[in-house]
Structures are given as structure tokens and as C-alpha cells.
């Protein structure tokens, strides 16, 4: 996750660096990658900017996560275009979690590392090339 207050500028910089825009699920978010694999999500969101850049961990179901004595929600589980998202602090470290439970069929799971699907082979489509 790369939080920004200049989405167009950040996306342009990543494209100039060799990535392709794969998906714009909403006006504040862009998913970029190369070779049919998502590499970075850029988002114009004040809550994300406050957290700073960092990885997003893909999980089966964000709603299964609970808190223990050393963690607290920074962003409680919320529905997003692909599924559910949440961020928590564990001993001061920000952990972001995303599930793909609502991912549209038109968005290749291969972008997110699903070994059972290749975006190149899906009905002859190739994205981002």
C-alpha cells in the first residue's frame, strides 16, 4: 500500500517506472503491476496516509481476525470493493489485512497470486500489457 495525496502523480511515477495500471476500483485507488501480477496499490486516503506505506497481507477472511492484549484496531474491518479490509497495530507495528471474498469475476485472481489461475490464459485475455 502506497498512501498518497496525489494519486495521479503517484500512478504516473509507477507507470514511468514500468508498471501498468490494472484496475481502478474507485476514484481514489489504483492497482498496478507487471507480468499479470499486482505489485502495488496506491490510494488517496487520509487514514492510510496517517499509517504510512506498508504491505497488505492477503488472508482468507478478515472478519475471522480478533484482537489480543498486544493489538488494537486502527481501521476496524470494513467492506471494500474486493472484500474486507482492516488494519491493526500489534506492539506498534501496523498490519494491514485484505480478503478477496467479493472480488468480481472480471478481476483475475492471478493478479493477487492465486496459483490456480493465470491472467494470460483466462478466456484469452491479457491485462495490463
Amino acid at each position: 500500500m502506497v498512501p498518497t495525496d496525489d494519486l495521479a502523480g503517484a500512478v504516473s511515477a509507477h507507470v514511468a517506472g514500468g508498471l501498468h495500471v490494472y484496475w481502478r476500483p474507485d476514484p481514489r485507488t489504483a492497482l498496478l503491476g507487471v507480468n499479470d501480477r499486482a505489485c502495488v496499490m496506491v490510494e488517496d486516503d487520509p487514514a492510510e496516509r496517517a499509517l504510512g506505506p506498508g504491505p497488505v497481507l492477503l488472508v482468507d477472511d478478515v472478519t475471522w481476525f480478533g484482537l489480543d492484549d498486544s493489538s488494537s484496531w486502527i481501521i476496524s474491518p470494513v467492506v471494500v470493493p474486493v472484500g474486507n479490509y482492516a488494519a491493526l497495530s500489534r506492539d506498534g507495528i501496523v498490519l494491514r489485512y485484505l480478503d478477496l471474498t467479493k472480488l468480481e469475476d472480471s478481476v483475475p485472481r492471478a493478479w493477487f497470486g492465486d496459483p490456480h489461475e493465470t491472467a494470460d490464459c483466462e478466456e484469452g485475455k491479457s491485462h495490463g500489457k
Side-chain angles (χ1 to χ4, degrees):
M1 169 75 70
V2 176
T4 184
D5 61 359
D6 179 9
L7 185 64
V11 168
S12 292
H14 282 87
V15 169
L19 298 183
H20 304 279
V21 177
Y22 285 163
W23 191 41
R24 296 287 309 264
D26 60 57
R28 301 177 320 151
T29 307
L31 182 70
L32 297 99
V34 66
N35 297 328
D36 287 322
R37 179 62 60 93
C39 298
V40 65
M41 182 181 299
V42 181
E43 186 160 11
D44 181 0
D45 180 89
E48 291 295 343
R49 285 194 301 272
L51 297 179
V56 177
L57 307 169
L58 292 177
V59 297
D60 290 333
D61 189 343
V62 167
T63 61
W64 291 352
F65 279 83
L67 301 176
D68 58 27
D69 292 339
S70 63
S71 63
S72 60
W73 292 120
I74 301 170
I75 299 174
S76 295
V78 61
V79 175
V80 296
V82 297
N84 297 290
Y85 173 79
L88 60 85
S89 174
R90 182 175 307 278
D91 296 324
I93 304 297
V94 174
L95 302 171
R96 293 174 169 97
Y97 296 101
L98 176 70
D99 69 42
L100 304 175
T101 55
K102 296 178 180 21
L103 188 64
E104 300 169 7
D105 289 339
S106 63
V107 178
R109 287 186 172 276
W111 290 351
F112 301 95
D114 187 333
H116 301 293
E117 178 185 329
T118 60
D120 285 333
C121 297
E122 182 193 356
E123 298 176 23
K125 294 187 266 184
S126 180
H127 300 272
K129 293 191 178 187

